[in-house]
Amino acid sequence: MRRFLSDWKGLIYNLAFFLNGLLVFLLLFEGRFVVPVWMQAIGRMHPLVLHFPLVVLMLYSLWVLVVDKKESPRWNGELADSLLIIGTLTAAVAAFSGFVLSKEEGYESDTLLWHKWLGVAISVASIAWYGFRNALTPWQWHSKLVAGSFLVLLFVGGHLGGNLTHGEDFLISPLGPSADEPPQVDLEEAMVYEHLVKPVLDQKCLSCHNAEKSKGDLQMQTQALLTKGGKSGVLWDTTKADLGLLISRLHLPLEDKKHMPPRGKVPLTDEEMVLLAAWVKSGSRFGQLVSSLPPQSPVYAYAQNVLGGGRTEAAYDFAAADPDEVLKLNTSYRLVKPLSAESPALFANFYNRANFKIAEVEGLSPLKGQIVAMDLSKMPVRDEDLKVLATFPELRKLILNFTDITGATLGELKKLGKLKELSLSGTAVKMEQVKALKGIPSLKRVYLWSTGLTKAELAQLKKESGIALETGFSGDSVVLALNPPIIVTENQLVAADGAVSLKHQISGTIIRYTVDGTEPDSTTSPVYQKPIPITKNTVLKARAFRTGWYGSTQVGKTFYKAGYRVDSARLGLPSDQGYKAKGALSLFDGKVGDTERVSGTWLGYNQNDFQGFLYFKKPVMASNITVNTLRSLGSYIFPPVRIEVWGGVDEKSLKLLKVITTEIPAKDIPGAENLVYEAAFDPRPLGCIKVEAKPVAKLPAWHAGKGGKGWLFVDEIIVN
């Protein structure tokens, strides 16, 4: 024990020497080095261990600089040697873990290259310093030159590391002009993106998505790069209920590894998340002025708080709602927030068309005395639902863009004595119905973009109504794109005699569709004239066309022929924590999971295989089993590698009926998609059916999680 204590520095020196040799070897041949999965954890320790050698080596260097003579009382050779050898070992550990971390995706820049080589240089230089410490006595000038050079090396290496982690010039930015106070801009001149959205992205997102460190191949420092998106696809998509990647990942649980910003980073505030969602939802326009927004807009309210500008908020003569009541009424599909700081006024936004019911609006009745703005864009709101909206007496702004209303009951809104703005863009309202809005004295502005009203009708309305009508841009030399058709049928499980309906808000529009997997075009695809019968599992795709317009983007949905009614079910193996859905009921509840993994409809499997048992009180004559799964490769959700279908009159007589094997995707496929597997077999009576499915045991080499285990998501199982 004494011998060990007396020679501990030698042991540490030998260990550090070995680590440095290994590090230099790996650095020279890093093109052939593949980090094994078990070593990734060592790389991610780099932020934890790098600070210790920096402090110890800086302390030793400064000590060398200040000592002036051999017999100086400020110098303790034994302690100095201990500091240097500890710094030498920890520098080698930090450099090695940093090298492993550099092999992960998202670090593709010159800064990384220099930081990596400087880290190795610091490690090698420190062990060389320790080896020659007896020749480099601290009171000699050449020792002080080495110490000074070492401090510069530490400073530059730390500066580059700070750039990688926190953005460019992180370490030295305090030495430049102060950035505490952003440039002042008048509210009248402020731009939504430049002065509101961009500062949020710069503060909360840019440190991981810049030219030096592009996690997920995403960079966010310019408008072009934002629009381009990253490896997982574009950042926003207003055709999706969750508005796309940018907004959906902000709302993931904090413990979810896809949550943005990741744990440990400063999260966005609720107001910032509302700002980004409202900006994306309104079209993500980079050149929009704040002054063009109505005062009830959440973006306008945010601008007032951030930019000021001397404008005063409308005075409200009602008391604020109980904050606990407001919090209680917020759900995954409904957001209720104050219009601005310290304001009693509230606004409500609704998300996820598939899960919307007018009861979601009725549920806000406890706040009807405080809600002044409501956004129901793209929700399946119908004419009869306007009676419910008319029960909110404080409404000043109502957005009904691309809803299912035809305008037949617009007169109900006359009960809203304080309504100032109404948006009906993308609806099927007619001229006579819009005229009825003149009966609302408080109404000042109506938005009628893409309603199908002719130019002559719009001109007449502007002349007669006395209301400011916003009809969008129109020009003879400009061709605009149609919005996609709407698939009216929400339920994806269709009975044997069922059919699927489509519609478009603009009159004169032709809808063309396909059910054979091909892409619909403007000439050969069938024209939609009546509901489309569903006789088997069908992928429906549709586009809208109209003379003088560009064809719309494609909309699609998978419909399933409803099967026998299952009496009960059980899971042979439990699903993973966080993806339990409704348990076994999810296998036959009649609701097919959407493409959102956090929607609460999916059973997720990573540690176990999937095993599901379906039971019938009386055996049914079956010949086909349909299994619905999800593919979202960016979220580690892969197709099953093998599906087995077993059946018998009871659980004791099960026999293997069908085996389906699939291939692991050879490359990344962006986005999420439902994958349906059909197992056909000779008809036979079945009272019990067992379905087994295996997740990918080892993710492919091209995937970010290569070598790890994939996820399997399963939902509805249909028996025909």
Side-chain angles (χ1 to χ4, degrees), residues 82-219:
S82 299
L83 281 177
L84 183 56
I85 191 59
I86 292 172
T88 296
L89 176 63
T90 53
V93 173
F96 183 79
S97 61
F99 174 80
V100 174
L101 183 62
S102 72
K103 304 300 289 182
E104 293 194 15
E105 292 185 358
Y107 300 94
E108 304 171 353
S109 68
D110 291 339
T111 301
L112 173 64
L113 179 66
W114 281 104
H115 178 63
K116 180 167 55 180
W117 279 89
L118 280 174
V120 175
I122 290 170
S123 181
V124 173
S126 62
I127 197 168
W129 197 358
Y130 184 80
F132 292 97
R133 69 191 185 285
N134 293 328
L136 293 171
T137 50
W139 43 87
Q140 296 175 339
W141 68 268
H142 51 270
S143 297
K144 299 186 185 301
L145 178 62
V146 170
S149 302
F150 207 78
L151 282 174
V152 172
L153 200 63
L154 291 170
F155 179 84
V156 175
H159 167 60
L160 295 178
N163 286 358
L164 282 172
T165 307
H166 302 287
E168 188 175 357
D169 295 333
F170 169 76
L171 193 62
I172 62 173
S173 59
L175 305 179
S178 175
D180 292 338
E181 292 296 328
Q184 295 297 313
V185 59
D186 189 83
L187 201 58
E188 294 289 346
E189 301 175 356
M191 309 290 288
V192 174
Y193 171 75
E194 184 66 27
H195 299 110
L196 301 179
V197 174
K198 187 175 184 295
V200 173
L201 299 179
D202 287 350
Q203 293 168 15
K204 304 295 176 69
C205 308
L206 196 59
S207 64
C208 288
H209 301 288
N210 55 71
E212 309 295 346
K213 180 182 180 184
S214 52
K215 288 290 189 180
D217 293 335
L218 172 64
Q219 297 185 32

Side-chain angles (χ1 to χ4, degrees), residues 240-262:
K240 291 186 176 181
D242 62 6
L243 302 178
L245 287 172
L246 177 66
I247 306 304
S248 65
R249 293 194 175 182
L250 295 177
H251 290 281
L252 291 175
L254 185 60
E255 62 273 11
D256 194 303
K257 60 184 176 183
K258 294 292 183 181
H259 179 276
M260 290 295 150

